[in-house]
Amino acid sequence: MNPSAVIYLLTAAAVFGIGLYGLLQSRQILRQLLSINLMGGGIFLLLITLGGGADGRPDPVPQAMVLTGIVIAVSATAFALALLLRWHELSGSTELDADAIADAIADAVADAHDD
Amino acid sequence: MTTEALVGLIFLPLLGACATVLPGRLATRAGVLAGLLPLPWLLVVVTLAVVQDPALFVELGGFAAPLGIRLFADPLAVLMLWMVAIIGGLAAVHAWFDFPPDSPAGQSFWPLWLLLTSAMNALFLSADLFNLYVCLELVTLTAIPLIALAGSKTSVRAAMRYLLLALLASLLYLLGIALLYNATGTLDLYLIRTALTAAPPAAVVTALALISLGLLLKGAVFPLHVWLPQAHASAPGPVSAVLSALVVKTAIYLLYRLWLWSVPAGTLAAEHALMLMALLGAGALLYGGVLALLQERLKLVIAYSTVAQLGYLLLILPMAATAAWPVAWQGGLYQLLSHGLAKAAMFLAAANILHALGSDRLSHLRRLDQRQPLSLFTLAVAGVSLMGLPPSGGFLAKWLLLEAAWRSGQWWLLAVLIAGSLLAAAYIFRILAASLGRDDPTEAQPVAASRSIPVIQDAAALLLALLALGTGFAAAPILQFIEAGAPAAWSTP
Amino acid sequence: MIGLAIDSVLALGIVWLALQTVRSVSMLQAVLMFIVFGLLMSLAWARLHAPDLALAEAAIGAGITGALLLVTWRRLQADGHDPVDSELPAQSKWLTIPTACAAALLIVIVGWIALQLPAVPGTAGDLAWQRLGEIGVSNPVTGVLLGFRAYDTLMEMAVLLAAWLGARAVATTYRPGALPGPVHVEVPLVGALLSLVVPISILVAVYLLQAGGSAPGGAFQGGAVLAAGGVLLFLTGRLEAAPRTSGLERVGLILGIAVFSLMGLMVMATGGHMLALPGAWAIYLVETALLLSIALSLVLLFAAAPGLRRMS
């Protein structure tokens, strides 16, 4: 394996790990989505680096997979952002957990009044 | 003929979804009907073909694997496809009234519903690991907006949490696939088996661990189930039914495919992995059962019951290495089938109750036998199957599982199975007791049934419950069919 | 030697930007860091002999995704207060360290495993090179996307459609006020710039589409470039959000899936294999339909609106 490939492999692993860290330690949905996109980038980099043929004929299958993956990532991100806007509109919050318990109680009370 | 039928199962709902997007009222109705009605007929063709040949392959584009993508149909896939057609179909009948195709709600609902149907059919037929990733994403990105269609704050929160975890799960799966492709050079689920024996074990074990973790998260397997109860309970009724009966099972289905078809038997410490997953299943069964018993709302009881019932599907895994495997496999798949039917029936009945009474709190269900007798009957019939009383399909499933556990000498499994059934009985009886309760004269009277339910919505729920019961009667041909496609048992040590 | 130096700098830059994306206190800064991260990734693809990806990453990964993130950030700010920036680090400290350790462990395992993967002979990719002639294009990536694994591409279009349907379904309320303010003031240069940039984006899209058969490019890159032109028209107020999806837009959104599926079904009905596209002309036809659907879906997702119309 040539030195450049080693560098990119380590980069790929690092980017994936950083994304995972960001996803788990942040509460801001927007930041979590950024982190998910970072993780995806790390995986894509891994696929392409491993699929780089030594004879100048890179493996086209991982390249096609990554292209598909990029389009899926932008689709998922776009929908997630729309859902985030909806959540923000309903709750005034850009996080999920801030007041889950209080909301559950409020829901229950509202529900009891419905009857 | 068979090839056309298999292709039709994926492409009819897909093109139906396209039609529902087109302008014009007729287009929506035509898309829904053309996308869903032919599915059972196509399945008859496929089923007859699979009875003849229990391992059907179709090469898309005419390119053989590993270069191209193959469709694969065997008894397990056909069973799942039938569940999509019947449960999805009856849930669609139910949804027709809440989301009329002409209404704005229907305009949002039906394209997503048809895409979800197409995605699940595609997933159950795909033989390619990366194509399965695309299918998984399509299932996720159609199921989650359907949850959010309920519109409540709770449902949007549940949808958002589900989405974030589902995306994480997909990425873990994708990373595993990336490693597997580079270790073996193939993405075909059924070719990879031989290639895996030659690949470096460390890479394969890591890849399998990542893929399994992703699938356990998507399948809401305890303790990764945290997203499920709120998501399933807050979705619109027909969506809850399909989520619990089908969507979570896509992940369990892939776990089966991965561990029982792709991993070479008895290698790579697989028996430890299977035992670990069975322990998670046992945890799910007990934890989900207890939590279901503690809920105050009907839909949450049913949702936690899903967490519990998924446990059965993992409990069978370690028996792959024992002589009792064929029985365990039959029991597992029968559980898959009967739980799907019963759970969909319960969610539809719960939706009817919620619609009629304006609440699904257990304490508000008093006099349900007078106010919503059909819904109560549906809950009771489905409940019989869920807790495993004869003569239901659930009884047969649990009986087979007990027999397998007995024969393979896995005594702890016996105890877990019995405890699971007792817990199910407890939470079902709690629902029934609440429904048969009489008004306390000292309390304010609850408002009587405010809205009536279209009789077809009641009928759809009841039919599913009766099917769950009926699978207990018409068992022999189904069991025979399932057995023909059982993955080979591992050679007993 | 110079190549290795470039790769090292690029790699360090990528890791640093990823860290900044996760660690910046300001959310705006995090988003900007992510966009630059995408641009550097695009350079990395070029270095790794993946020019198709370099184009796609620049146009979609950094471009459209970045624009989506920025506009969402802007919309979250629209109600006056700054909910996004105010509270980092929000997570309690005791979770940070185990999380970091778990992530680091995963980095080590994945890196270690990946480094010792041997080259496997006879991969799907080797077969793709051998049989590329059967597809009728000379760019192997296009060959895989529209030939050997055309089914993936079709399902991916369904994912894009689902994203738009989902976004439309959750955005129940149509509030023009919540959208980013278009440039109402007529800056003299904007019109001239647009009359240059938009035709260029169309030209580039068409070029990428036809080049994709033999050179880097294709429907996805072209679609993203065309979408960028549409985004510009939207941002400068030439297009505005409409409360309904027009008939033409509806047709455009499903065009890619419909043409692709129907072509595949037609081939099957005439005795061929499902999705085996009969020659290069069919590939270009399908790709044109895909390009239009991709561009339209991305612009509508960016506008977060059911439809678009000319600014009245």
Side-chain angles (χ1 to χ4, degrees):
Chain A
M1 191 172 280
N2 68 50
S4 284
V6 174
I7 290 174
Y8 282 117
L9 274 187
L10 295 177
T11 308
V15 170
F16 182 86
I18 292 168
L20 182 64
Y21 168 79
L23 175 66
L24 295 179
Q25 73 88 42
S26 175
R27 281 180 170 178
Q28 294 284 348
I29 297 167
L30 198 56
R31 179 91 58 167
Q32 290 178 316
L33 289 172
L34 287 172
S35 305
I36 285 173
N37 274 291
L38 286 179
M39 290 173 71
I43 298 174
F44 298 158
L45 195 52
L46 183 86
L47 263 169
I48 296 305
T49 311
L50 287 176
D55 50 353
R57 287 212 316 186
D59 189 338
V61 172
Q63 295 206 9
M65 283 161 68
V66 170
L67 241 169
T68 304
I70 288 176
V71 176
I72 289 179
V74 73
S75 305
T77 306
F79 169 66
L81 292 174
L83 196 59
L84 165 61
L85 285 173
R86 179 81 182 127
W87 170 243
H88 183 245
E89 192 176 73
L90 283 172
S91 69
S93 169
T94 54
E95 307 178 7
L96 277 184
D97 296 309
D99 49 4
I101 296 166
D103 279 353
I105 294 169
D107 279 357
V109 171
D111 192 66
H113 280 287
D114 285 346
D115 263 295
Chain B
M1 195 54 191
T2 315
T3 306
E4 282 81 356
L6 284 172
V7 167
L9 285 170
I10 299 165
F11 282 86
L12 279 181
L14 181 63
L15 287 171
C18 290
T20 55
V21 175
L22 287 176
R25 296 184 165 194
L26 198 65
T28 311
R29 283 164 188 271
V32 175
L33 296 178
L36 297 180
L37 280 185
L39 299 186
W41 307 105
L42 296 175
L43 263 174
V44 170
V45 176
V46 172
T47 309
L48 290 176
V50 169
V51 168
Q52 296 295 318
D53 173 8
L56 272 179
F57 283 102
V58 171
E59 288 163 354
L60 291 172
F63 300 107
L67 178 58
I69 300 172
R70 299 193 288 179
L71 301 182
F72 174 67
D74 69 346
L76 171 60
V78 169
L79 182 78
M80 304 307 294
L81 292 168
W82 271 112
M83 286 172 63
V84 174
I86 290 177
I87 298 172
L90 286 171
V93 169
H94 189 278
W96 190 274
F97 294 90
D98 293 344
F99 300 94
D102 296 338
S103 67
Q107 292 284 323
S108 294
F109 179 86
W110 289 106
L112 288 165
W113 181 272
L114 284 158
L115 278 183
L116 175 60
T117 306
S118 174
M120 287 192 293
N121 281 350
L123 188 141
F124 293 134
L125 284 173
S126 179
D128 185 277
L129 285 164
F130 183 73
N131 183 253
L132 283 167
Y133 164 75
V134 182
C135 293
L136 273 173
E137 291 293 52
L138 188 55
V139 169
T140 304
L141 285 178
T142 47
I144 292 177
L146 285 171
I147 297 172
L149 273 185
S152 67
K153 196 173 163 186
T154 321
S155 71
V156 172
R157 184 212 312 274
M160 193 77 231
R161 171 165 302 137
Y162 184 4
L163 180 61
L164 289 170
L165 289 175
L167 290 177
L168 170 63
S170 303
L171 288 173
L172 294 173
Y173 178 90
L174 186 62
L175 180 57
I177 300 301
L179 293 176
L180 275 191
Y181 176 72
N182 283 294
T184 63
T186 177
L187 291 163
D188 190 274
L189 257 178
Y190 308 95
L191 288 182
I192 212 168
R193 190 174 194 145
T194 41
L196 280 182
T197 42
V204 176
V205 168
T206 310
L208 290 176
L210 288 165
I211 295 173
S212 301
L213 188 61
L215 291 174
L216 290 170
L217 183 53
K218 274 219 169 159
V221 173
F222 171 84
L224 305 173
H225 64 279
V226 285
W227 58 266
L228 182 143
Q230 282 299 344
H232 286 201
S234 65
V239 178
S240 304
V242 165
L243 286 174
S244 258
L246 302 170
V247 171
V248 279
K249 305 233 169 79
T250 58
I252 308 286
Y253 169 86
L254 287 179
L255 279 174
Y256 281 174
R257 287 293 188 205
L258 184 71
W259 286 99
L260 301 174
W261 270 268
S262 297
V263 174
T267 59
L268 303 165
E271 68 273 17
H272 299 301
L274 296 191
M275 184 53 86
L276 180 66
M277 285 192 270
L279 287 175
L280 295 181
L285 198 50
L286 302 177
Y287 178 87
V290 170
L291 266 281
L293 203 49
L294 296 176
Q295 298 306 310
E296 290 303 325
R297 306 177 89 159
L298 179 57
K299 284 191 83 171
L300 276 171
V301 176
I302 307 174
Y304 271 104
S305 157
T306 298
V307 173
Q309 298 277 323
L310 287 171
Y312 286 113
L313 303 177
L314 296 177
L315 282 180
I316 65 164
L317 287 174
M319 289 190 260
T322 69
W325 174 238
V327 181
W329 178 247
Q330 287 180 331
L333 288 209
Y334 229 72
Q335 165 67 18
L336 199 69
L337 174 66
S338 63
H339 170 255
L341 292 166
K343 188 50 62 72
M346 294 189 90
F347 264 126
L348 291 187
N352 292 343
I353 292 168
L354 185 59
H355 199 72
L357 309 190
S359 161
D360 70 335
R361 298 188 77 76
L362 293 183
S363 56
H364 295 161
L365 294 186
R366 280 174 307 224
R367 292 192 300 106
L368 197 65
D369 54 327
Q370 291 158 24
R371 297 193 286 173
Q372 280 287 308
L374 270 181
S375 297
L376 179 59
F377 185 58
T378 304
L379 284 179
V381 173
V384 162
S385 187
L386 216 53
M387 56 186 150
L389 288 183
S392 64
F395 165 72
L396 191 61
K398 273 135 210 166
W399 181 260
L400 289 167
L401 291 174
L402 280 174
E403 188 188 333
W406 178 273
R407 277 213 235 158
S408 62
Q410 308 252 13
W411 308 113
W412 68 278
L413 268 182
L414 275 181
V416 170
L417 287 168
I418 291 168
S421 276
L422 288 176
L423 281 168
Y427 60 72
I428 298 289
F429 278 124
R430 187 158 163 263
I431 297 174
L432 298 184
S435 312
L436 296 172
R438 290 290 167 257
D439 293 328
D440 182 348
T442 57
E443 268 184 42
Q445 295 286 319
V447 185
S450 45
R451 276 175 289 185
S452 65
I453 302 295
V455 68
I456 295 188
Q457 286 195 318
D458 269 333
L462 183 59
L463 188 54
L464 280 168
L466 291 176
L467 282 172
L469 195 69
T471 46
F473 291 103
I478 304 179
L479 284 176
Q480 203 186 352
F481 183 66
I482 291 172
E483 199 186 0
W490 298 0
S491 52
T492 344
Chain C
M1 196 57 213
I2 290 181
L4 190 61
I6 295 176
D7 289 331
S8 310
V9 172
L10 210 49
L12 283 177
I14 286 172
V15 172
W16 186 79
L17 285 164
L19 265 177
Q20 290 305 306
T21 306
V22 169
R23 293 300 301 164
S24 306
V25 175
S26 150
M27 188 64 73
L28 178 61
Q29 197 182 345
V31 171
L32 293 174
M33 289 294 174
F34 176 78
I35 294 172
V36 183
F37 166 86
L39 291 174
L40 285 205
M41 285 289 280
S42 159
L43 292 179
W45 299 137
R47 293 281 308 150
L48 286 163
H49 310 289
D52 291 278
L53 293 183
L55 284 172
E57 180 81 48
I60 304 175
I64 298 286
T65 309
L68 269 166
L69 288 163
L70 273 180
V71 80
T72 305
W73 176 83
R74 184 77 190 80
R75 284 174 181 137
L76 288 175
Q77 311 268 312
D79 54 2
H81 63 99
D82 181 348
V84 187
D85 278 352
S86 52
E87 55 229 302
L88 198 99
Q91 191 66 275
S92 52
K93 282 274 193 298
W94 64 270
L95 255 177
T96 305
I97 294 164
T99 313
C101 292
L105 185 69
L106 199 70
I107 293 174
V108 171
I109 293 177
V110 170
W112 178 68
I113 299 267
L115 279 177
Q116 52 180 353
L117 276 177
V120 185
T123 64
D126 295 336
L127 289 170
W129 276 106
Q130 283 166 26
R131 297 181 57 182
L132 190 58
E134 296 169 34
I135 304 291
V137 292
S138 58
N139 177 352
V141 180
T142 305
V144 173
L145 280 174
L146 287 147
F148 307 124
R149 298 183 67 91
Y151 181 50
D152 273 348
T153 308
L154 180 56
M155 293 312 265
E156 156 197 5
M157 290 303 293
V159 172
L160 185 59
L161 178 65
W164 177 76
L165 288 167
R168 187 187 65 163
V170 297
T172 48
T173 46
Y174 168 67
R175 297 176 309 156
L179 297 170
V183 183
H184 289 297
V185 195
E186 193 55 39
V187 184
L189 269 180
V190 169
L193 190 69
L194 278 179
S195 60
L196 192 66
V197 170
V198 173
I200 286 181
S201 82
I202 296 174
L203 268 179
V204 172
V206 172
Y207 167 77
L208 284 173
L209 180 73
Q210 72 80 31
S214 53
F220 292 98
Q221 296 89 341
V225 169
L226 193 58
V231 165
L232 268 183
L233 287 176
F234 180 76
L235 281 178
T236 51
R238 265 42 174 200
L239 290 172
E240 64 171 353
R244 300 179 65 88
T245 317
S246 72
L248 195 62
E249 283 163 338
R250 288 164 184 271
V251 173
L253 283 163
I254 62 151
L255 194 66
I257 299 176
V259 170
F260 205 161
S261 316
L262 292 175
M263 177 84 80
L265 288 168
M266 207 180 67
V267 172
M268 185 174 72
T270 52
H273 289 281
M274 179 66 192
L275 291 180
L277 296 182
W281 65 270
I283 291 186
Y284 285 118
L285 180 67
V286 167
E287 280 209 292
T288 307
L290 294 182
L291 182 144
L292 291 173
S293 288
I294 293 163
L296 185 60
S297 307
L298 290 176
V299 177
L300 286 177
L301 280 170
F302 177 83
L308 289 169
R309 65 183 171 208
R310 265 166 199 269
M311 191 72 164
S312 43

